[in-house]
Amino acid sequence: MTLKILVPVKRVVDYNVKVRVKSDGTGVDIANVKMSMNPFDEIAVEEAVRLKEKGVATEVIAVSCGDAKCQETLRTAMAIGADRGILVESSEELQPLAVAKLLKALVDKEQPSLVILGKQAIDDDNNQTGQMLAALADLPQATFASKVEVAGDKVSVTREVDGGLETLSLSLPAVITSDLRLNEPRYVTLPNIMKAKKKQLDTVTPADLGVDAAPRLKTLKVAEPPKRGAGIKVPDVAALVDKLKNEAKVI
């Protein structure tokens, strides 16, 4: 059985960077800021590569949607172990529904047995793309995966829920979104970075895929969260209850 895995990856501001809001409140300032692969997507790539190393998968394809700079993110995915990359190049702001539609078009074209993507991106924290893709492609889905096991035409996914762990059995093809505890991505070595430069990277546009990627939502304003006030000490429990009830109004 040939099992092809599609892994969408997003280019975001590096998680170590403190983001700053633009002075006019129109968005986050990303000029001269270090960018990297979304950490959840990096975990997804690692899991796909591990499945290939186990002999379960035959090919891992990394996909990114955005401007030409996203090629760097795809090269990183190929350095981890993806076989080839596809860039859906667009200068527009790509929102979750548009990305899901683009991925649906690529799923129709590539016919992967499995799509593994991060549960959310750390820039907008929407946590929507995987679920939307599963709905558009009419595929079974398992979100927040902490363990993935493929056997034949079935995939078993252990996922984290509020009450503990839940294990689902899905028929392939399927969509899985990765959580933090799924694995720890490997360190990318220089030889693999050099090898990644020679791997195939195709570029398409939303028009090529027949998708209207125009934004449906408009950002009105971006603002930093208010500064947290200093805490206070109370003499006893009665004073604490009084403040919670009359000042904070939480009880």
Side-chain angles (χ1 to χ4, degrees), residues 93-202:
E93 177 197 352
L94 295 174
Q95 295 173 348
L97 181 58
V99 175
K101 288 179 177 179
L102 293 169
L103 294 176
K104 160 67 165 60
L106 288 173
V107 166
D108 292 341
K109 181 181 178 183
E110 296 288 343
Q111 294 293 307
S113 300
L114 200 56
V115 182
I116 307 179
L117 63 164
K119 70 171 185 177
Q120 65 194 75
I122 62 171
D123 53 358
D124 52 25
D125 270 339
N126 280 319
N127 185 3
Q128 295 176 334
T129 307
Q131 293 89 325
M132 288 176 168
L133 172 61
L136 291 171
D138 195 23
L139 295 175
Q141 63 173 308
T143 55
F144 316 139
S146 59
K147 186 177 181 181
V148 175
E149 294 177 320
V150 178
D153 62 348
K154 299 281 186 181
V155 57
S156 174
V157 179
T158 301
R159 59 189 300 266
E160 300 184 354
V161 294
D162 291 341
L165 298 176
E166 177 183 65
T167 302
L168 302 176
S169 178
L170 284 66
S171 298
L172 297 176
V175 175
I176 296 173
T177 69
S178 64
D179 211 337
L180 277 175
R181 280 162 288 280
L182 180 57
N183 61 54
E184 186 173 335
R186 69 194 67 189
Y187 180 76
V188 179
T189 61
L190 183 59
N192 286 335
I193 292 172
M194 300 309 292
K195 288 177 186 175
K197 291 182 178 180
K198 298 179 181 178
K199 291 184 179 180
Q200 179 183 344
L201 199 162
D202 301 318

Side-chain angles (χ1 to χ4, degrees), residues 232 234 236-251:
I232 60 169
V234 292
D236 50 40
V237 174
L240 172 62
V241 172
D242 179 65
K243 286 188 176 294
L244 289 175
K245 186 175 181 179
N246 299 314
E247 292 184 24
K249 298 189 185 300
V250 294
I251 60 172

Side-chain angles (χ1 to χ4, degrees), residues 8-174:
V9 295
K10 186 176 184 181
R11 183 174 183 264
V12 298
V13 175
D14 189 88
Y15 68 92
N16 289 311
V17 174
K18 178 176 171 53
V19 294
R20 290 179 173 81
V21 176
K22 292 180 181 177
S23 57
D24 58 2
T26 57
V28 173
D29 187 6
I30 59 172
N32 302 315
V33 169
K34 182 185 177 184
M35 308 291 281
S36 59
M37 187 189 303
N38 178 47
F40 290 104
D41 296 341
E42 195 172 359
I43 291 167
V45 175
E46 175 67 27
E47 190 64 23
V49 172
R50 288 187 186 187
L51 288 171
K52 186 187 173 188
E53 290 172 346
K54 289 177 184 175
V56 174
T58 51
E59 186 181 24
V60 176
I61 307 164
V63 179
S64 191
C65 304
D67 59 25
K69 293 178 181 176
C70 292
Q71 289 186 27
E72 299 170 16
T73 309
L74 287 170
R75 293 293 179 195
T76 301
M78 288 189 278
I80 293 172
D83 298 290
R84 58 187 173 96
I86 301 173
L87 172 62
V88 183
E89 190 170 355
S90 174
S91 57
E92 287 194 83
E93 177 197 352
L94 295 174
Q95 295 173 348
L97 181 58
V99 175
K101 288 179 177 179
L102 293 169
L103 294 176
K104 160 67 165 60
L106 288 173
V107 166
D108 292 341
K109 181 181 178 183
E110 296 288 343
Q111 294 293 307
S113 300
L114 200 56
V115 182
I116 307 179
L117 63 164
K119 70 171 185 177
Q120 65 194 75
I122 62 171
D123 53 358
D124 52 25
D125 270 339
N126 280 319
N127 185 3
Q128 295 176 334
T129 307
Q131 293 89 325
M132 288 176 168
L133 172 61
L136 291 171
D138 195 23
L139 295 175
Q141 63 173 308
T143 55
F144 316 139
S146 59
K147 186 177 181 181
V148 175
E149 294 177 320
V150 178
D153 62 348
K154 299 281 186 181
V155 57
S156 174
V157 179
T158 301
R159 59 189 300 266
E160 300 184 354
V161 294
D162 291 341
L165 298 176
E166 177 183 65
T167 302
L168 302 176
S169 178
L170 284 66
S171 298
L172 297 176

